[in-house]
Amino acid sequence: MPQNTPLIEVTGLRKSYSGRTVVDGVSFSVEEGEIFGILGPNGAGKTTTVECVSGLRVPDSGTVRVAGLDPVADHEQTSRLLGAQLQESELQPKILVREALELYASFYPNPADWRPLAERLGLNDKLTTRFAKLSGGQKQRLSIALALIGNPRVVVLDELTTGLDPRARRATWKLIEDVRRQGVTVLLVTHFMEEAQRLCDRIAVIDKGRVAALDSPSGLIGRSAGSTVISFTPSRPLDPADLAALPEVATVEHRGEQLTITGTDVTVNAVVTLLAQHRITAHQLRVTDATLDDAFLDLTEERESTATDTAGKAA
């Protein structure tokens, strides 16, 4: 990952609506040439954050800089180097796909050729279709093309592949990887953990308007309560005290007859030894690494637990 001067710098960003704080002191920086992800539950403040980065919202306090520019005060200059695909992008209903691509290309001094973009995003057979007649997934693909058509230095993608089928989603991931190889910096908001784990160099987890964690995908996974997940159905029940005493065990969960244990490689060896000692057979045994999904749940549940405990003490 490139180690250059940050292209995007967000410091102490705050934004409220009708007295309700949506973004509460968010800070992060994005290096030039990296794919930086933002994860968070619905309503966590992700979209408001990237709208402030794009100059579409005015922060209540804090600062946002894109290549040293203020996206609000220097909006015209910022718009020349930043492309954006946002959740609620809409065009004039009767505009044809070809017309939209040609129109957006005319906004920039050195636009990308929209034809290869249309082909890569599966829009060639929809060039004479009106925007209102496109499916949700087709509108999403057009929105991505329009975000990239100005040859931006940085592109903001909010819920990049929502509405796309698995094949189109993977094709879009490949496109974004190609775009990054061309030197474009990507700020990606997503709720697809596989997408974030595959594409992102670093990820900020935003929860309740604050940054709960900021690290590489592997770094976030390493913070998970257990880096290894062991699941099986024992031929007969195990003593809960024996399970609790397993070394480096993080959690033990029963789902019907199935047992799921999170821990480390040391825990795996201990489970195997325990089963052998008690002559218990492990049916449908699976040992897997923890995922970004596990880390995300741990981080957001931890904040939920902390908030509940703090509220309880205050009461």
Side-chain angles (χ1 to χ4, degrees):
M1 182 182 70
Q3 298 296 324
N4 301 319
T5 301
L7 185 57
I8 300 173
E9 294 183 273
V10 177
T11 307
L13 178 66
R14 287 183 167 80
K15 183 69 180 176
S16 299
Y17 300 111
S18 302
R20 183 175 69 89
T21 300
V22 177
V23 179
D24 188 10
V26 164
S27 298
F28 61 86
S29 62
V30 181
E31 303 290 338
E32 186 157 14
E34 80 173 319
I35 299 178
F36 187 93
I38 296 180
L39 289 176
N42 290 336
K46 307 184 301 298
T47 293
T48 296
T49 297
V50 297
E51 286 178 344
C52 289
V53 171
S54 303
L56 300 176
R57 302 260 180 207
V58 180
D60 294 337
S61 62
T63 60
V64 179
R65 295 292 181 268
V66 178
L69 300 170
D70 182 327
V72 176
D74 307 311
H75 186 70
E76 183 175 348
Q77 292 170 274
T78 305
S79 64
R80 291 184 180 275
L81 59 88
L82 184 148
Q85 168 266 327
L86 301 174
Q87 277 194 59
E88 302 298 332
S89 299
E90 287 292 328
L91 297 175
Q92 204 278 337
K94 293 185 178 180
I95 193 169
L96 304 180
V97 169
R98 178 191 292 274
E99 292 173 338
L101 292 165
E102 291 175 341
L103 175 65
Y104 272 64
S106 73
F107 295 158
Y108 301 96
N110 298 297
D113 186 344
W114 59 262
R115 294 165 186 82
L117 271 177
E119 183 176 358
R120 289 288 302 275
L121 289 163
L123 293 170
N124 273 355
D125 62 346
K126 297 294 178 182
L127 293 178
T128 58
T129 302
R130 298 190 188 281
F131 181 77
K133 297 295 184 180
L134 298 176
S135 68
Q138 290 161 353
K139 288 179 179 179
Q140 188 78 336
R141 281 181 271 168
L142 176 58
S143 181
I144 294 167
L146 297 179
L148 297 172
I149 207 165
N151 274 324
R153 190 174 166 191
V154 56
V155 63
V156 176
L157 303 170
D158 191 358
E159 301 296 358
L160 170 70
T161 56
T162 297
L164 301 187
D165 61 54
R167 185 181 299 276
R169 181 174 298 132
R170 290 182 181 275
T172 303
W173 292 351
K174 180 66 167 58
L175 173 63
I176 298 309
E177 289 170 335
D178 290 346
V179 164
R180 191 266 286 279
R181 278 193 286 272
Q182 295 167 11
V184 178
T185 301
V186 180
L187 180 58
L188 173 67
V189 177
T190 182
H191 67 270
F192 289 113
M193 299 298 159
E194 183 185 0
E195 181 168 283
Q197 192 165 345
R198 168 169 170 168
L199 295 179
C200 297
D201 297 301
R202 293 186 299 139
I203 296 169
V205 178
I206 296 182
D207 190 24
K208 298 181 176 64
R210 298 182 179 183
V211 176
L214 198 165
D215 208 333
S216 64
S218 59
L220 291 174
I221 291 169
R223 300 187 192 193
S224 180
S227 59
T228 304
V229 181
I230 312 132
S231 63
F232 60 94
T233 301
S235 55
R236 55 190 174 82
L238 284 157
D239 188 333
D242 289 338
L243 294 173
L246 290 168
E248 299 185 20
V249 66
T251 63
V252 177
E253 182 179 355
H254 293 271
R255 298 174 184 171
E257 295 182 351
Q258 187 184 57
L259 189 61
T260 301
I261 301 168
T262 58
T264 66
D265 289 342
V266 173
T267 315
V268 175
N269 294 331
V271 168
V272 171
T273 300
L274 180 64
L275 292 170
Q277 286 174 344
H278 293 277
R279 297 183 179 180
I280 295 175
T281 302
H283 299 291
Q284 298 176 318
L285 175 65
R286 294 183 63 197
V287 179
T288 59
D289 291 332
T291 64
L292 190 56
D293 195 52
D294 298 316
F296 175 79
L297 290 173
D298 285 344
L299 286 164
T300 53
E301 286 173 0
E302 179 181 321
R303 285 179 60 82
E304 182 73 35
S305 175
T306 301
T308 302
D309 290 345
T310 302
K313 289 176 182 177

